[in-house]
Amino acid sequence: MSAAEPPRVLHVSHTSQPGGAELALARLVGRDRPWRAALHTPPGGGAFDHLRSTDVTVADDLPALPTGGTRSRAPLLAARYLAALRAGARVLRRSPLFRDADLVHANTAAAAIICALADRRHRRPLVVHLRSPVNAETLGPLGLPAFTRLALRHADGLIANSRFTLASVVGRPRVPDRRVVLQSPSGIGERVARPRVRPVVRAVGMVGRLQPWKGQHVFLQAFAAALPDSDVRAYLCGAPLFGEAAYEAQLRDLAARLGIADRVHFLGHVDDVPAVLDAIDILVHASLGPEPLGQTVLQGLARAKPVIATEGGGPGEWIRSGVNGLLVPPGRPEALAGALRRLVASHRLRIDLAVAAAGTPGLLSDAECVARHGEFFDAVRRAHRPGPAR
């Protein structure tokens, strides 16, 4: 690479399903950036289809990983998962995109394992993106040792989506010195500077994948308890992924049992999230445990929405409860219902939270996120010295 040429960065994703990590990566590489981007991913899924009409070189020949393989204790499924990781490494090792890359960016822990297996001699710098805590609960009995012994050993740099996520890896052996907390691109263009807060609440909603852990069932229970006799409507924006289609059916059944089916609307996957946020009066985040980042929360703050989120993890790093949003304990429908009642009843509180949300310090636009990632990629690339893994 000549000094005048931008560096070549290969981004590796273990899935092309449109989950939060994949949508963040698509936003990262799909706009103006100070590097030349290429992408290796499994076929199908759709998260990266639009990149084919851009200057991003896309190779979709990585094998798909079995769902739940890292967390499974079934020997057969674990063996299939390990075989798929190794097969992905072989595909990557033979790829011209991998061979010619000045830096490799692994978008998830699984992608990092594939990259480490593909480059045993550590010939090119590797940046690993931490999008979830590094522990047995998230990575499973197979994924945790594979990640810590292979991926961390080969990593030259770490990007974490929150201080909460980064804290889960600090102190482990072989953690690289170059590590940074960077906000993921969340679909934020220009932030709303002057909130419009309607005098009466007509719609509340959640945005995110339909998954039990995301807590849409808690939201429906809280909505029914807080607004049993009301014309306020609830909107669920998101689709089930990774074999979780049964959860949507369970949510529809729950809405019927709660007597709110006529006021609950399932919108499926939504591309224009800002338009949805502008149409609702209150945004709810209801994850059952600490959310690593909470892209929905960032989107809501950027659109100057009154936001209710569960405590802990990334959302707790952005929201000061009672100032620019409300925080409630996770998995507590009664607590969420109380927060909903409080916001619905007080136009003044909704205005105050929306104004403070608009001024949330440190919240970056997608363009600013891309620039920060480019700076980190460049620093890691310049510091790399090829040789045996540490």
Side-chain angles (χ1 to χ4, degrees):
M1 183 186 72
S2 69
E5 292 179 333
R8 295 163 296 193
V9 177
L10 174 62
H11 306 270
V12 180
S13 177
H14 80 277
T15 179
S16 58
Q17 295 292 324
E22 292 70 41
L23 294 177
L25 176 59
R27 297 183 190 109
L28 181 67
V29 303
R31 58 179 302 130
D32 293 339
R33 59 194 128 61
W35 67 88
R36 289 177 287 172
L39 171 68
H40 254 294
T41 179
F48 307 114
D49 287 352
H50 67 286
L51 295 179
R52 297 182 186 280
S53 61
T54 70
D55 64 340
V56 180
T57 303
V58 179
D60 59 356
D61 52 358
L62 290 183
L65 300 179
T67 300
T70 57
R71 289 184 288 274
S72 175
R73 296 186 181 275
L76 181 58
L77 181 56
R80 286 178 53 214
Y81 193 88
L82 183 58
L85 289 173
R86 288 172 172 163
R90 289 193 295 271
V91 171
L92 203 58
R93 193 180 301 120
R94 294 192 297 264
S95 169
L97 298 177
F98 188 65
R99 183 182 62 243
D100 297 339
D102 298 307
L103 180 139
V104 176
H105 168 229
N107 193 49
T108 59
I113 297 170
I114 293 172
C115 293
L117 288 170
D119 191 14
R120 292 281 196 168
R121 295 188 179 183
H122 201 209
R123 295 186 182 278
R124 54 195 58 73
L126 173 63
V127 171
V128 173
H129 218 124
L130 301 178
R131 299 193 180 275
S132 297
V134 177
N135 55 41
E137 181 180 359
T138 58
L139 296 180
L142 172 64
L144 181 59
F147 179 76
T148 54
R149 295 172 189 172
L150 286 172
L152 280 184
R153 185 182 180 191
H154 281 74
D156 297 274
L158 295 178
I159 297 175
N161 58 7
S162 65
R163 296 192 301 273
F164 166 75
T165 299
L166 184 61
S168 71
V169 76
V170 173
R172 292 183 180 273
R174 304 188 183 95
V175 177
D177 293 332
R178 291 186 179 276
R179 48 186 185 259
V180 65
V181 174
L182 286 179
Q183 175 191 326
S184 295
S186 303
I188 298 175
E190 293 186 7
R191 294 172 58 178
V192 171
R194 295 185 177 181
R196 294 185 190 177
V197 181
R198 288 178 276 265
V200 177
V201 172
R202 295 299 182 194
V204 301
M206 284 187 68
V207 178
R209 185 171 118 208
L210 298 185
Q211 180 189 35
W213 185 82
K214 292 291 186 181
Q216 282 90 355
H217 59 287
V218 175
F219 168 61
L220 292 183
Q221 292 166 359
F223 177 78
L227 304 164
D229 300 307
S230 167
D231 58 358
V232 178
R233 297 183 177 273
Y235 292 88
L236 293 178
C237 307
L241 299 175
F242 308 113
E244 295 164 339
Y247 183 54
E248 180 176 351
Q250 293 169 11
L251 291 173
R252 291 181 182 273
D253 288 344
L254 176 61
R257 292 198 307 272
L258 293 171
I260 56 174
D262 60 329
R263 295 193 287 134
V264 177
H265 301 270
F266 291 79
L267 301 185
H269 176 74
V270 173
D271 289 319
D272 192 351
V273 173
V276 170
L277 294 177
D278 290 346
I280 64 176
D281 301 291
I282 300 170
L283 176 67
V284 174
H285 163 277
S287 291
L288 302 186
E291 182 83 50
L293 172 63
Q295 292 187 48
T296 297
V297 171
L298 302 187
Q299 292 166 338
L301 294 174
R303 300 307 296 180
K305 287 289 150 180
V307 178
I308 304 172
T310 52
E311 298 169 337
E317 297 174 17
W318 290 99
I319 290 180
R320 293 173 57 202
S321 193
V323 177
N324 64 336
L326 298 178
L327 294 174
V328 297
R332 297 267 302 279
E334 69 280 6
L336 179 54
L340 280 171
R341 290 191 198 97
R342 185 179 170 196
L343 280 180
V344 169
S346 176
H347 185 217
R348 180 72 259 168
L349 178 58
R350 297 198 306 278
I351 292 174
D352 291 344
L353 294 184
V355 170
T360 300
L363 191 59
L364 303 178
S365 69
D366 282 5
E368 292 168 323
C369 288
V370 170
R372 299 283 180 89
H373 281 73
E375 292 167 1
F376 187 73
F377 289 157
D378 195 53
V380 172
R381 180 182 61 83
R382 292 179 182 279
H384 176 70
R385 296 293 180 268
R390 294 177 295 114

